[in-house]
Amino acid sequence: MMKFEDYKKEFLLFLELERGYSEQTINTYKRGIDRYLLFIKKKKINYLKIDKDLILDFQASVSESMGSRTFSRILSTLRTFYKFLHNEGAIDDVVLNQVKSYPSPKYKKSIPTFLSEKQILQVLEKINNDKKLSDIVKLRNQSIIMLFFTSGLRLEELKSIQLKDIDFSKNTIRVIGKGSKTRLANFDSDTKDFLIRYLKFLKKYPLIKTNFNNNLFVDEKNKNLSRHNIQYLVMKNLKTLTLNSYGPHALRHSFATHLLNSGVGLGAIKSLLGHENLASTQIYTHVSLGKLQETIKKSHPRGEK
């Protein structure tokens, strides 16, 4: 019988080579598998012969340290892992069905945070008035905020943009999304202006082939910004507002919600966000409904009654 660690290595390699998952996604799977490994080692369980009772025991053992959403994600990881083991001939149908049929815990899906255009302008002004920042850092940070807001990019997508991916003549950026799928993201003329002024400071505009493989967003030493760098600067600037969440995803959510409130169909928004299925996009209908109800309250003669 192969050791758990050996199957884990093969499984993670399978996710990379066969599924084409990003490093971030693979690390998420790895964390879930490692948490499960601690449990089976402590309980001295044969991981090839688990059932629903053992999964319930695992859920109970981690319930105090993680919420239902996190456990649901780990459970999804285990289903994929055990399906991999089944395909490798390591487990039979009975064990696989025990894992697949274990019910996911229910949790309340949060409605995405929605920023108005006025709030975005406040953030841009805050950055511009920050005397601790150099002019180039101000333009870089403003470009990042605007690109998230007008393109709906994910954090990893924005971090990975290279100069060769940008087409200023069409206001588009080629991005590689989840599952290594490529799509074109659009940005508006204001974002274009921020980006060009930022690149001129870097002396990288007009774009030339010798710079094509350079990352778009760099620090003052010309080193690529990390996920943490970008996450931190976005959260720092959004925290001046009253919001439910402050990360880059709040800006991505705002992009989608503005489109929906302007009459853009869910199918088109799904494509622009790089969602694989419509269910991921439908959460924005809740935001739009809330906006509609607010409008009725303010505008309809019976709205406040």
Side-chain angles (χ1 to χ4, degrees):
M1 181 179 73
M2 279 182 65
K3 292 182 179 179
F4 186 99
E5 288 86 348
D6 293 330
Y7 270 126
K8 185 186 83 170
K9 289 178 182 177
E10 290 194 7
F11 173 63
L12 297 177
L13 198 61
F14 161 77
L15 295 179
E16 178 186 0
L17 301 180
E18 298 292 329
R19 292 283 183 89
Y21 286 172
S22 68
E23 182 180 354
Q24 180 195 357
T25 301
I26 292 171
N27 284 336
T28 300
Y29 275 84
K30 182 180 181 298
R31 286 193 295 271
I33 291 291
D34 287 343
R35 191 64 183 265
Y36 177 63
L37 177 58
L38 288 174
F39 168 75
I40 62 174
K41 278 186 173 180
K42 184 178 180 180
K43 295 286 185 176
K44 297 180 180 179
I45 295 168
N46 181 349
Y47 68 95
L48 298 177
K49 295 182 179 180
I50 68 164
D51 56 25
K52 288 183 180 179
D53 288 338
L54 287 173
I55 300 175
L56 178 61
D57 193 10
F58 173 52
Q59 182 179 1
S61 71
V62 298
S63 61
E64 291 186 4
S65 60
M66 69 174 65
S68 297
R69 184 190 293 268
T70 303
F71 181 77
S72 184
R73 190 159 50 239
I74 291 179
L75 183 59
S76 177
T77 294
L78 291 181
R79 289 184 183 127
T80 307
F81 177 62
Y82 274 91
K83 186 176 181 181
F84 169 79
L85 293 178
H86 183 265
N87 291 339
E88 293 292 307
I91 61 172
D92 57 25
D93 293 345
V94 175
V95 174
L96 178 62
N97 288 332
Q98 287 286 303
V99 180
K100 286 174 63 177
S101 61
Y102 188 84
S104 297
K106 293 183 179 180
Y107 57 87
K108 185 178 180 181
K109 291 188 177 181
S110 58
I111 295 177
T113 295
F114 168 53
L115 283 82
S116 67
E117 187 175 6
K118 181 180 178 181
Q119 288 175 311
I120 291 296
L121 292 176
Q122 289 173 354
V123 172
L124 296 177
E125 186 177 1
K126 175 186 179 297
I127 295 172
N128 194 54
N129 293 335
D130 192 337
K131 295 180 180 179
K132 295 180 181 179
L133 301 179
S134 65
D135 288 340
I136 189 170
V137 171
K138 288 179 182 179
L139 281 170
R140 183 201 65 193
N141 293 358
Q142 289 171 322
S143 297
I144 288 172
I145 296 293
M146 285 296 288
L147 199 52
F148 274 129
F149 183 65
T150 65
S151 300
L153 298 180
R154 298 181 178 95
L155 174 55
E156 185 65 27
E157 292 170 348
L158 183 136
K159 180 188 83 72
S160 303
I161 295 172
Q162 295 183 328
L163 298 187
K164 65 183 177 183
D165 299 321
I166 308 171
D167 186 342
F168 281 114
S169 67
K170 297 179 180 178
N171 286 15
T172 60
I173 297 178
R174 175 183 171 273
V175 296
I176 301 175
K178 287 187 175 180
S180 298
K181 292 184 178 179
T182 303
R183 74 179 191 281
L184 285 179
N186 299 276
F187 53 87
D188 68 2
S189 57
D190 289 332
T191 305
K192 177 179 180 177
D193 180 57
F194 277 114
L195 288 170
I196 288 177
R197 285 194 288 145
Y198 163 62
L199 288 172
K200 281 183 176 179
F201 256 103
L202 291 176
K203 297 181 179 179
K204 293 182 180 180
Y205 186 88
L207 303 182
I208 56 176
K209 286 187 177 180
T210 53
N211 292 332
F212 271 9
N213 290 326
N214 290 11
N215 270 38
L216 172 59
F217 294 116
V218 295
D219 62 19
E220 291 181 284
K221 295 181 180 179
N222 205 36
K223 292 184 178 180
N224 299 341
L225 287 187
S226 66
R227 286 176 55 88
H228 175 75
N229 294 147
I230 298 171
Q231 179 100 15
Y232 175 78
L233 75 86
V234 172
M235 292 182 71
K236 179 183 177 182
N237 287 291
L238 293 193
K239 279 194 173 182
T240 58
L241 307 173
T242 304
L243 303 170
N244 294 327
S245 62
Y246 301 95
H249 232 62
L251 296 171
R252 176 172 159 88
H253 290 157
S254 301
F255 165 78
T257 306
H258 276 291
L259 291 179
L260 188 64
N261 286 339
S262 299
V264 179
L266 282 177
I269 296 173
K270 167 182 170 291
S271 299
L272 291 169
L273 291 174
H275 283 162
E276 289 191 1
N277 57 73
L278 199 59
S280 301
T281 316
Q282 285 175 331
I283 189 170
Y284 298 105
T285 60
H286 298 296
V287 182
S288 187
L289 178 60
K291 184 78 173 177
L292 179 61
Q293 290 171 336
E294 183 183 337
T295 302
I296 291 172
K297 278 188 177 182
K298 290 181 178 179
S299 306
H300 196 277
R302 304 288 296 179
E304 296 293 343
K305 296 183 179 181

